[in-house]
Amino acid sequence: MYKMNIVIKVVSIIYLFSVASSCKKYLGTKTDSTLQVIETVEDLQSLLDDYRNINQNYPGLSEVLSDDYYILNGDWVVSDVSYRNFHTWVKDDNTSTVWNNAYSVVLTTNIVLNELKNVDYSADQQDAWNQVKGNALFLRAYYFYGLAQLFALPYNNNENILSDPGIPLKLNPDINEKITRASLKETYDQITKDLKQSASLLPLVPFVNTRPGKGAAYGALARTYLVMGEYDSALAYANRYLAIHDSLVDYNSIVTSASPLADKYRKETIFNMRSNSMSFLVGNRPKIDTMLYRSYESFDLRKTIHFRAVSGAFVYRGDFDGLSVVSNYAFSGIYTDEIYLIKAEVLARQNEITTSFEVLNKLLKTRYATGQFTPVVASDRAAALERILAERKKQLIRRGVRWTDIRRLNNEIPNSIEARRIINSQSYYLPQKPYLLLLPKIVIGISGIQQNN
């Protein structure tokens, strides 16, 4: 029987940029140091099933950067300085937490993929072996995508995808390997390659939705191709997703007196992922943008299910796990409503207005009080896109996707989305140039790779 000893330790930037003095491989899955013997396919699957470290560390700063919230002066003064900077789009290189957490998961996937080749397994374990490989490929691509939304330029309509820097693409567990930034094209090519391979290996429906299945891979591909501006592919993978998962929750069935999104979570979420916790999102601190709140019609059930009044303002309420009415993270998984919106948008872009709004109305009907929904229509492509993009903003609250929408839409039509914060009577404006997070200072110092500007 093949055996491999792996030292389980918290991983920091050391994974990417330090030199190891032995053959030990460092894996960020536990806060204590223990020795684990890898003997079976199931042992490798257990590394990917570490929910706290694998499913609760997705890059979440996009939620702080988005235009869905504002913060009052009193909450501002007690917020961490770096969160203040991120929220007002001021450059700050205190990004080690989001960077380390993401690349720790990437390290885990690379160790699993590397050791999977050496683990003995029987013929009747082939499906389990395939699932482990598909799971690891999916997670690596998923975290690469999340990092690219923060540290790399938008892809769509970018004429310099061959030369603009993307992110470091770690594809093996060798911590001695010299690190470079891949190009933007190489970054997205790797993401789509990993996702497609994972889709060929994963089961149609996973045992639990903390693991991905084919639907999750198809949904991630639809999302990725949308931000790449490759709309035919986005539509193709949205359709593949909906052939597996097309059920929508009727919001009339949601009990709002307790955890408002618990029932919705169980039916529409086909892959469960959270961002890392962020103090900026704690409790009632971030207030929902007033114009956003007012955009919901009186019979739109999202207005009461998603929000609650606090001292003359409104805050997001709900937890996709159904554990509480407040949360300090962004839900970062794969959700059926987003795929409907991707399909509707792509069809509108292809001037299939009638079909596009059939898709949109199927979704919206489940969000309004029974008997109160009037199907929406549009006269042309521009009007259709305007309505669909407005519904994306209204439906995908606290999902981490709004920042990506701002990036891709402003890259498509410069300054089509403008945002402003007012803090202590001072105004801060979303930069016209695409705003990128700075790579952690220590990363630049040790590796010498190109910093964002």
Side-chain angles (χ1 to χ4, degrees):
M1 174 66 71
Y2 167 80
K3 295 185 178 182
M4 175 67 188
N5 288 344
I6 296 181
V7 176
I8 310 294
K9 299 180 73 174
V10 169
V11 176
S12 182
I13 301 170
I14 190 171
Y15 169 44
L16 291 179
F17 307 107
S18 284
V19 176
S21 58
S22 71
C23 64
K24 296 177 181 177
K25 295 178 174 63
Y26 295 95
L27 175 62
T29 58
K30 294 184 184 296
T31 56
D32 60 329
S33 297
T34 58
L35 189 65
Q36 178 169 327
V37 177
I38 298 299
E39 296 181 326
T40 66
V41 172
E42 288 75 15
D43 291 336
L44 290 171
Q45 180 63 66
S46 71
L47 298 180
L48 301 176
D49 284 340
D50 183 0
Y51 180 81
R52 183 174 64 85
N53 288 292
I54 300 295
N55 295 77
Q56 293 188 341
N57 272 320
Y58 198 71
L61 281 176
S62 55
E63 202 66 20
V64 178
L65 296 165
S66 82
D67 61 352
D68 288 341
Y69 312 101
Y70 67 94
I71 190 166
L72 299 178
N73 294 341
D75 290 321
W76 178 259
V77 298
V78 297
S79 296
D80 179 87
V81 172
S82 290
Y83 280 128
R84 296 186 207 173
N85 288 336
F86 299 139
H87 189 59
T88 52
W89 312 295
V90 173
K91 293 295 186 179
D92 191 315
D93 61 8
N94 187 17
T95 53
S96 293
T97 297
V98 65
W99 183 275
N100 293 354
N101 288 347
Y103 277 109
S104 292
V105 175
V106 170
L107 171 60
T108 304
T109 66
N110 285 334
I111 288 176
V112 168
L113 290 169
N114 188 65
E115 303 309 326
L116 192 59
K117 296 177 293 186
N118 301 315
V119 172
D120 295 330
Y121 64 97
S122 60
D124 61 359
Q125 291 180 300
Q126 185 65 58
D127 286 345
W129 190 95
N130 289 346
Q131 288 180 44
V132 172
K133 184 174 182 179
N135 193 341
L137 288 166
F138 175 91
L139 288 169
R140 184 170 72 182
Y142 208 70
Y143 272 84
F144 280 162
Y145 174 90
L147 287 163
Q149 306 317 300
L150 297 172
F151 294 100
L153 288 168
Y155 188 100
N156 64 318
N157 288 329
N158 188 331
E159 297 178 352
N160 301 312
I161 57 174
L162 293 174
S163 57
D164 281 341
I167 60 171
L169 295 175
K170 277 295 296 181
L171 304 179
N172 63 70
D174 181 7
I175 63 177
N176 297 297
E177 179 185 51
K178 178 177 173 59
I179 301 303
T180 60
R181 290 184 71 171
S183 71
L184 195 58
K185 184 178 189 305
E186 289 169 335
T187 296
Y188 279 85
D189 282 350
Q190 187 65 50
I191 292 168
T192 54
K193 176 184 176 181
D194 279 357
L195 288 174
K196 288 176 182 178
Q197 190 176 1
S198 76
S200 70
L201 295 166
L202 291 168
L204 196 65
V205 179
F207 177 67
V208 289
N209 70 8
T210 53
R211 299 178 185 175
K214 288 187 186 299
Y218 294 151
L221 280 162
R223 179 189 290 168
T224 303
Y225 279 121
L226 180 72
V227 305
M228 294 172 69
E230 296 188 11
Y231 299 121
D232 289 344
S233 294
L235 179 60
Y237 282 106
N239 283 333
R240 289 190 186 187
Y241 175 102
L242 292 172
I244 304 172
H245 307 280
D246 68 346
S247 297
L248 293 166
V249 170
D250 183 349
Y251 269 42
N252 290 278
S253 68
I254 295 178
V255 178
T256 61
S257 59
S259 302
L261 298 177
D263 294 337
K264 185 169 184 283
Y265 167 84
R266 285 193 289 268
K267 187 170 184 179
E268 287 191 23
T269 302
I270 60 93
F271 176 64
N272 177 15
M273 177 72 74
R274 291 184 181 187
S275 76
N276 54 296
S277 297
M278 293 168 284
S279 61
F280 188 85
L281 299 179
V282 167
N284 300 330
R285 185 172 296 179
K287 307 297 190 294
I288 293 297
D289 177 73
T290 304
M291 295 301 294
L292 172 58
Y293 180 78
R294 291 176 179 172
S295 69
Y296 296 88
E297 297 175 326
S298 57
F299 292 108
D300 189 334
L301 297 175
R302 293 174 295 186
K303 197 167 190 175
T304 53
I305 288 174
H306 287 294
F307 310 111
R308 61 191 176 91
V310 175
S311 302
F314 293 90
V315 298
Y316 176 83
R317 70 187 299 264
D319 181 310
F320 284 84
D321 291 327
L323 300 178
S324 66
V325 294
V326 296
S327 62
N328 62 351
Y329 63 88
F331 179 80
S332 306
I334 304 292
Y335 227 75
T336 299
D337 55 3
E338 181 187 355
I339 308 303
Y340 272 91
L341 288 163
I342 290 173
K343 182 174 181 177
E345 179 181 338
V346 171
L347 287 169
R349 289 181 178 277
Q350 296 175 337
N351 212 32
E352 299 287 343
I353 308 302
T354 300
T355 308
S356 169
F357 271 63
E358 287 175 356
V359 175
L360 181 64
N361 285 322
K362 183 176 180 180
L363 169 64
L364 292 182
K365 184 178 180 180
T366 64
R367 274 44 182 167
Y368 278 70
T370 301
Q372 300 297 327
F373 175 66
T374 301
V376 297
V377 297
S379 57
D380 55 34
R381 179 179 180 275
L385 278 174
E386 182 179 6
R387 179 59 188 258
I388 292 164
L389 293 172
E391 291 301 334
R392 277 185 66 89
K393 183 174 172 63
K394 291 161 66 175
Q395 181 60 38
L396 304 181
I397 294 285
R398 197 64 76 91
R399 309 279 191 87
V401 301
R402 176 59 184 171
W403 177 243
T404 295
D405 281 353
I406 292 173
R407 283 163 41 94
R408 69 183 178 95
L409 296 172
N410 276 347
N411 205 47
E412 180 180 3
I413 302 175
N415 305 317
S416 58
I417 298 177
E418 297 179 339
R420 180 180 66 158
R421 319 281 199 205
I422 301 177
I423 308 292
N424 292 322
S425 301
Q426 181 175 350
S427 294
Y428 300 84
Y429 294 90
L430 177 69
Q432 293 184 5
K433 180 182 178 181
Y435 174 90
L436 299 180
L437 292 185
L438 296 178
L439 277 63
K441 183 177 181 180
I442 190 172
V443 170
I444 301 301
I446 296 175
S447 72
I449 60 176
Q450 180 179 344
Q451 178 62 285
N452 291 326
N453 54 39

